[in-house]
Amino acid sequence: MRTRLSGALLLAAAQVSTLWVVLTLLLFAWLGRPLWQDPAALASLAGFSWNPAAGQYGLGAMFAGTLLLSSGALALAFPLGLLCVLFVLALGPRVLAQLLRQVLTLMAGVPTVVYAFVAVWLLVPWLRDSAGVGMGFSWLAASLTLGLMLVPTVALPLIGVLAPADASLAPVCDALGISRAQRLLWVTLPAHRPLMLSVLLVAAGRAAGDTLIALMLSGNAPWLPHSPADPLRVLSAHIALSLATDTESTAYAAVYASSLLLLAWVSLSHLLSRRLVR
Amino acid sequence: MNKHRIAAAFAGLVTLFAATHAGAADIDAFKGLSGKLDVAGGTAHIPVVQDVARHVAKANPNVRISVSGGGSGVGIQKVGAGLVDIGSTGRAPSAEEVAKYNLKPFQFALDGVAVAVHPANPVKNLSRVQLADIFSGRVDNWKTFGGADQRIHLYSRDEASATREVFVDKVLGKGQSPAANATVVASNGAIKTAIARDKGAIGYLGLGYVDASVKPVAIDGHAPSQENAKSGAYPIVRGLYFNTRGEPNALASAFYRYLKTGEGQSLIRAHGYIPAF
Amino acid sequence: MTRRLIERAVIAASWLAALLLFALFATMLAFLAVHAAPALDGDLLFGDADPWRAMIGEEMVWDGLWPALVGSTLLTLVALAIALPLGVAAGIAQAEFDSPALRASRAMTDLLSGMPSIVLGLSGFMLIVLLRGVWPDANVSLLLAACCIALLILPYPTVATRQALLRLPATLRLACDALGMSRMQAIFHVYLPECRQGIGAGAVLACGRALEDVAVILLTGAVASFGVPRSVFDPFEALPFFIMVTASEYRDEQQLARAFAAALLLLGLSALLFTLARRLQGKSVR
């Protein structure tokens, strides 16, 4: 009896996420009505021009912005995170490795708003005045900051899982005369590809969903950037910005469309990567 | 909820009779009241309400005022749903919003919109035509206006910003937008931080936010000051509003009454806004 | 020999990465400390209120970060108290059982982990707005914010538990079976203790995330001034929210300094929570 009850509880717990995702989808689909009921506005959604005053509600630029910023940030965070994992588990001296692990843990608790805040004061002026990158607030500035913010998201779960796994391989590898670095690089890591993918996905989700770094650093221009030095606007920042709009307007309804689009993108990327891993 | 309020007000009345303090201070607007007053919405009002909350708490600990942000739209939605007593907006609520939620707007202050540049920039005055040239991207070097040979970096606000709406209406003309490559920042504080660190910068922000880190420029010879904004000589001004659903309740009206007193007005002024009474 | 070369390169790169991270983190700390310095005095936490009276809730704190500090801590603890058991349970179900519904829930957990915090906050907020139609006392509060944060961090313990369980050696499962343990006994007395480290890492990440998020609490109950909440149905102040509001609304350098000080305080708080978590983890090791 007790077994059956705890089994049922476990299964119920597993469905909380399902429940919430479905609820959110239904809620937003319902709240977005003003937009779905306006054919002209609906048709403009897929475009690249966001100008509510002219009845244009194109989310194309913001969607592209989300893709560009996420990929920029992940391109930095994933290799950097992986290298940190290697350093902590095998390559670094014990003291430094422990220190790095603690720094990573601490970094996970630094609010994104603090990263963004510091970057506005240090990174942006540096990019503009020393590196000569446009006005500073840009795809590049946001990518670098977001990338740094994501390093612990990549590294910590990998460390948590790989440390015991790596240790369990130690006796065999020692007997074969394989060094710690070699063991990690050629045995442990390749054995955990699915894990790395899932970590990458979590990081990608955070990259797409982060609001404050994008809002404070990307420059938020609702257009397609021509280079990393240009500003761009991402969906999450667009949602935050639009929350100030007239709540009865079509532009406000576009908040829900943006949310749905963002969710659609996240699920699509999950589906795609699942296919790839098979 | 209402029953609680009435009971609380009654309890407050008892306290009123028990009160020994008899001087007629401005804060007496809250005398005898008790309960919670929740305010939410645009962020511009936060410091003002916070100050009121502090004064009230000292004079009458039975009244607790909470202040929250989120944006003007959130404020309207929250007050519309009854989650808060007052929704604050940095713009007048739209006719649709007023109709849907039976809103009663109360304009408590005016906020001048200042145009600011980096403190090292020698430019002191710009005409509205020059501003239009700058913000539409037609002129892109400070040399044109007697400044250094330096590219002009435009800082603007998002489409939902009331500050931007007023600025665009008065400078570029209704329905126009600033140049597409302008950096868009999300708040008055953020635009100030950005301008203070960029030699080529120009942007616009609420007058109350201007401090020594940025330099405001005169427009058509009129310096952006509270006096000029009030007299109408300075052209770019927006209103700040509190909105209640239906008539304001006892605490909300006490809050309004207090804002209208000398003490209330000086609080509004202390944060750089112009009392609208 | 290419492998040798790759190894060398990776070692060099990992040193570079580690040093880069140290340097960036140190820069950030130094920057925060320098800018927070003007605000780092006895009044930082309690302003002009009496610390002792403020701590027992007798006096309201106006110019101090105390209410925000308490608010952030409470929020994180309540959210963790909801998300940890729920996430571990979900992770067990997803790893140890199989059914179409569970496979769907795995995908949904991934989806939830990708749900942007602002979207989560917005849906929590709109839900309360709608809920008021049937239950007029429903309001944004510490509880609502904690529930939304719990949903935000739920994927961390879930995924960590699932992954850790899936990687248990087959011999362990065989041993449990051979000893005649029921599945539940094996899960709760053997498998879970074995997965401590993985789950702990997930919990730490979740903790950090709960502590730092702004977008969720912005819409679900955080306020700029209210004082220490007296129950979970009160609104609350929070450090990251204070930082955000100050960054967007500051009037002078002194206010800005307090935002930087709040950032330092938040860092200290997360360091404290992490140490605590590690202690607890250590204690359960026999």
Side-chain angles (χ1 to χ4, degrees), chain B residues 102-122:
Chain B
N102 183 27
L103 293 181
K104 294 276 177 286
F106 169 77
Q107 188 184 1
F108 72 100
L110 289 168
D111 185 18
V113 178
V115 174
V117 296
H118 189 269
N121 193 328

Side-chain angles (χ1 to χ4, degrees), chain C residues 188-190 192-194 196 279-286:
Chain C
F188 285 105
H189 297 288
V190 181
L192 271 190
E194 224 20 60
R196 223 171 22 235
R279 278 281 155 76
L280 288 177
Q281 242 179 300
K283 276 231 178 86
S284 56
V285 184
R286 266 166 306 203

